[in-house]
Amino acid sequence: MKQAIIRTKGLSKEYVMGAEIIYALRGIDVEIERNEYVALMGPSGSGKSTFMNLIGCLDTPTAGEYWLNGTAVARLNDDQLAAIRNREIGFVFQTFNLLPRATALHNVELPLIYGGTGARERRERAEHVLERVGLADRMTHRPSELSGGQKQRVAVARALVNDPAILLADEPTGNLDSRTGAEIMALFDELHDSGQTILLVTHEHDVALHANRRITLLDGLIESDETQAAQVAV
Amino acid sequence: MSLRDAIRLAFAQIRAQKLKSFFSVIGVVIGVMFLIAVVTIVEGMNRYMEEDFARSLFGLNTLTVSRQPSMMMNPSDEQWREWRRRPRLRTEDAEAIREQLTVPARVAIESSSTSRARSVRGEEVSGVWLSAASPEIFRIREWDVAEGRLFGPLEAEAGLPVVVLGSETAETLFGSLNPLGRTVRIRDVSFEVIGVLESQGTLFTMSLDNRAIAPASSPMGRMTNPRGVVDNILVKADDPTALELAKMEVEAIMRVRNRLRPDQPNNFELETQDQSMAFWATMSRILFIAFPALVGIALVVGGMVIMNIMLMSVVERTQEIGMRKSVGARRRDVLLQILVESGTLSFVGASIGIGLGLGLAKLVEAVSPMPAAVGYHWLALAAGMGIVVGVLAGLYPASRASRLDPVVALRAE
Ligand SMILES: Nc1ncnc2c1ncn2[C@@H]1O[C@H](COP(=O)(O)OP(=O)(O)OP(=O)(O)O)[C@@H](O)[C@H]1O
Ligand SMILES: [Mg+2]
């Protein structure tokens, strides 16, 4: 039997804006198993980012349940959430979000610093994961000295360095040209092949085709959830 | 995140924004600089006053009786007239004190003036400090003879024209010649040089070695005061306790001699080293009260500048803080980071301030007679204050940063 890394039940998020209540998510039931590769789609404002933030423990739901690796997340306090983000979640953002003045190596070490890993081990692991994303020769470069695709690789390396249960990517190719985007997608495919569980948000159909499951949101609800083999040759 | 990581991060941040960092700590730099400069100068001054000034002016355990105070802060005209009305001190006063004092003590009279002195071969010195004094003066003033001898009671009694010269006076008049036995002419009177004093050094760049001391009853007495009148009566006791007793007795003796009623104030001055120190102590107290207040204001203003800059910096780095939280930074990690950063910033500012302050003190020392001395505890205090100001200034920005919602922070532009 497959083990669910992520399981949600009635996951909801409401925002109160003055007198108005915005229902960003209205009860999402979903299970994602180990080594699944899920693309989250849907029109703008459908709740994709909101869902990612809840899954990534950056935010807490207003209603519903969420189990990450069997742990009920909804009732954890701030520090416990931080620890889960540190160990179980790897986030990749559309805008890379790297420290502009730090080297690639230091950027990748960051989660390990907050995890309390010693300096020596930090460096070894950061180097190793940078090699894995193909940046062995760019370790001491700063973000301003890297191309967009390389920056996103650094961000991916940072997300992977703690060997997270799931890699979350909110439009990782949104700021990249199509060729560089394709390179990043190839990297994701590789990671998936080596066992990584991935959840990614995208607007682009051909990006979604890399995944083997596509969930589409509409107005805070799941509109469709289809599993089929990836349609892109790796 | 460990403290070490936080400090390393803080330095990286400061280095990345050197100019901004500098401007944000300018208040602390200035505050600490003035603190160190003033403390250095005042402490140097203090040491100087205690070790050299008071001693060379008044002598250890010595009481000086005089007509008016030797040091005064802005006397009023009326005060001045009161001093002028006072009776002059006379030789008989000194004799009465010598006879009636029960505390063991040495008593001397001294009258002073300045004049030119000439050697027979034509060399001349001006501004020579003349003292017509009793032989006890040497013991009381702790003047030791370097060459020759001092005059004794017999010569004093006889009023012989013998003189003991300061080392500078002797040097200028006689150069490499042996001054002993030679003649000095002061106001057309010839004195025989019998001794030369050891060098006393300088006081506020003023030489203490340009002097000539002769017996009070010698012709030098007439040059300094009308017959029978003296400037000072000096009483030297063995220790501070004896000095206190002697002071009380001398006061009583003088009041009787001047026929003062119990309700009348003294019409003479009694001064000890303590009094002259009290004068300086008042001044240094004013400095020590006024300057910390100024330094405090500078530090508060400096702290506020740092706080605002840190607030700005937190706003600027909202996205970065969101990202740090997304990779596992806890509230206290963010708190620590900002606190350490502002503490480090302020500490760096304080260190610059210490450097500049010491520089300023050295400069003052170089261009004025005031020496510079500073205790290490002041440096430690200044550095510590820098850190405290920084940490306090960082509290609010740090708590703002730590409470940022990661989702909101990440969305920030
Ligand atoms: N902090 C917030 N306060 C109020 N409303 C919010 C907040 N965050 C999101 N929303 C609203 O929730 C809804 C879902 O937003 P979300 O960002 O999840 O959409 P999305 O699917 O990621 O859209 P896009 O494709 O444009 O990124 C939107 O209507 C949005 O306006
Ligand atoms: Mg979105």
Side-chain angles (χ1 to χ4, degrees), chain A residues 15 53 58-59 78-79 82-83 85-86 89 91 93 95-101 106-107 110-111 113-114 119 122 158 162, chain B residues 1-2 4-5 8-9 12-13 16-17 319-320 322-333 337 405-407 410-411:
Chain A
Y15 293 104
N53 291 339
L58 285 173
D59 210 350
D78 234 54
D79 280 2
R85 290 197 293 267
N86 186 245
I89 310 286
F91 243 116
F93 305 96
T95 51
F96 321 132
N97 270 322
L98 299 176
L99 294 175
R101 277 181 283 272
H106 181 81
N107 268 292
L110 208 54
I113 289 178
Y114 290 117
R122 238 152 57 189
R158 181 179 65 194
N162 248 336
Chain B
M1 185 157 63
S2 71
R4 229 179 81 200
D5 286 325
R8 191 173 315 145
L9 191 63
Q13 188 70 28
Q17 305 194 305
Q319 239 196 0
E320 175 193 321
M323 180 276 287
R324 286 179 183 276
K325 287 196 159 189
S326 79
V327 299
R330 294 161 300 180
R331 281 188 182 186
R332 76 181 90 125
D333 293 317
Q337 180 188 338
D405 178 341
V407 176
L410 278 167
R411 252 209 320 260

Side-chain angles (χ1 to χ4, degrees), chain B residues 4-195:
Chain B
R4 229 179 81 200
D5 286 325
I7 291 174
R8 191 173 315 145
L9 191 63
F11 272 111
Q13 188 70 28
I14 291 167
R15 232 176 298 126
Q17 305 194 305
K18 286 189 199 73
L19 201 63
K20 190 160 141 199
S21 301
F22 178 73
F23 280 117
S24 63
V25 296
I26 220 165
V28 174
V29 170
I30 291 173
V32 168
M33 178 179 85
F34 277 116
L35 172 77
I36 293 299
V38 167
V39 158
T40 307
I41 291 166
V42 170
E43 285 221 327
M45 207 48 198
N46 248 338
R47 188 183 292 180
Y48 184 61
M49 292 301 286
E50 269 157 28
E51 287 174 6
D52 302 329
F53 187 70
R55 246 181 108 154
S56 52
L57 226 58
F58 291 96
L60 205 59
N61 299 328
T62 301
L63 170 69
T64 305
V65 188
S66 55
R67 189 172 170 218
Q68 64 187 56
S70 58
M71 267 192 258
M72 41 222 145
M73 260 200 227
N74 297 322
S76 63
D77 287 349
E78 191 179 335
Q79 178 74 75
W80 196 261
R81 279 193 296 276
E82 193 267 317
W83 287 332
R84 291 281 123 200
R85 277 197 303 273
R86 289 176 171 188
R88 291 188 160 245
L89 284 180
R90 305 192 58 84
T91 332
E92 298 83 60
D93 293 320
E95 270 150 27
I97 290 171
R98 205 191 310 259
E99 276 161 26
Q100 295 171 32
L101 205 58
T102 64
V103 183
R106 296 174 196 282
V107 179
I109 54 172
E110 185 186 31
S111 294
S112 312
S113 179
T114 50
S115 170
R116 232 187 277 270
R118 253 184 307 122
S119 70
V120 176
R121 53 176 196 140
E123 301 291 341
E124 204 177 273
V125 223
S126 59
V128 183
W129 190 250
L130 305 182
S131 291
S134 341
E136 289 88 351
I137 194 75
F138 298 105
R139 295 292 296 274
I140 293 177
R141 292 276 193 220
E142 295 176 6
W143 286 331
D144 286 326
V145 75
E147 284 176 76
R149 60 184 183 84
L150 305 169
F151 54 82
L154 288 176
E155 286 161 313
E157 191 88 28
L160 295 180
V162 290
V163 73
V164 177
L165 296 181
S167 57
E168 186 186 317
T169 319
E171 168 77 29
T172 322
L173 291 178
F174 302 108
S176 57
L177 298 175
N178 180 3
L180 300 181
R182 294 185 190 273
T183 301
V184 196
R185 287 191 60 85
I186 301 170
R187 299 205 185 148
D188 296 324
V189 179
S190 295
F191 288 87
E192 183 199 344
V193 179
I194 58 168

Side-chain angles (χ1 to χ4, degrees), chain B residues 331-345:
Chain B
R331 281 188 182 186
R332 76 181 90 125
D333 293 317
V334 177
L335 198 75
L336 181 75
Q337 180 188 338
I338 304 293
L339 281 185
V340 166
E341 189 175 319
S342 101
T344 307
L345 192 62

Side-chain angles (χ1 to χ4, degrees), chain A residues 58-208:
Chain A
L58 285 173
D59 210 350
T60 46
T62 36
E65 301 289 331
Y66 167 28
W67 293 269
L68 176 66
N69 263 335
T71 311
V73 169
R75 296 188 213 326
L76 297 182
N77 68 23
D78 234 54
D79 280 2
Q80 290 167 320
L81 287 177
I84 289 199
R85 290 197 293 267
N86 186 245
R87 287 195 308 268
E88 309 285 359
I89 310 286
F91 243 116
V92 176
F93 305 96
Q94 181 176 352
T95 51
F96 321 132
N97 270 322
L98 299 176
L99 294 175
R101 277 181 283 272
T103 60
L105 205 55
H106 181 81
N107 268 292
V108 174
E109 278 183 24
L110 208 54
L112 299 173
I113 289 178
Y114 290 117
T117 310
R120 163 94 62 85
E121 191 189 337
R122 238 152 57 189
R123 168 163 271 255
E124 275 168 13
R125 281 169 63 181
E127 281 174 356
H128 179 252
V129 70
L130 275 167
E131 276 162 25
R132 210 173 136 198
V133 300
L135 288 178
D137 54 347
R138 293 285 185 280
M139 296 202 192
T140 56
H141 288 228
R142 285 162 219 282
S144 59
E145 301 155 355
L146 296 172
S147 72
Q150 287 168 332
K151 279 186 226 179
Q152 197 59 302
R153 279 169 196 269
V154 175
V156 171
R158 181 179 65 194
L160 291 176
V161 74
N162 248 336
D163 197 14
I166 187 161
L167 182 66
L168 301 175
D170 197 343
E171 301 189 43
T173 59
N175 269 13
L176 302 174
D177 61 52
S178 57
R179 208 186 57 128
T180 328
E183 277 169 28
I184 293 295
M185 289 322 296
L187 174 62
F188 274 59
D189 292 346
E190 253 175 70
L191 296 173
H192 175 239
D193 288 344
S194 59
Q196 184 66 52
T197 313
I198 299 173
L199 173 57
L200 79 81
V201 171
T202 185
H203 278 296
E204 294 161 64
H205 198 65
D206 38 335
V207 170

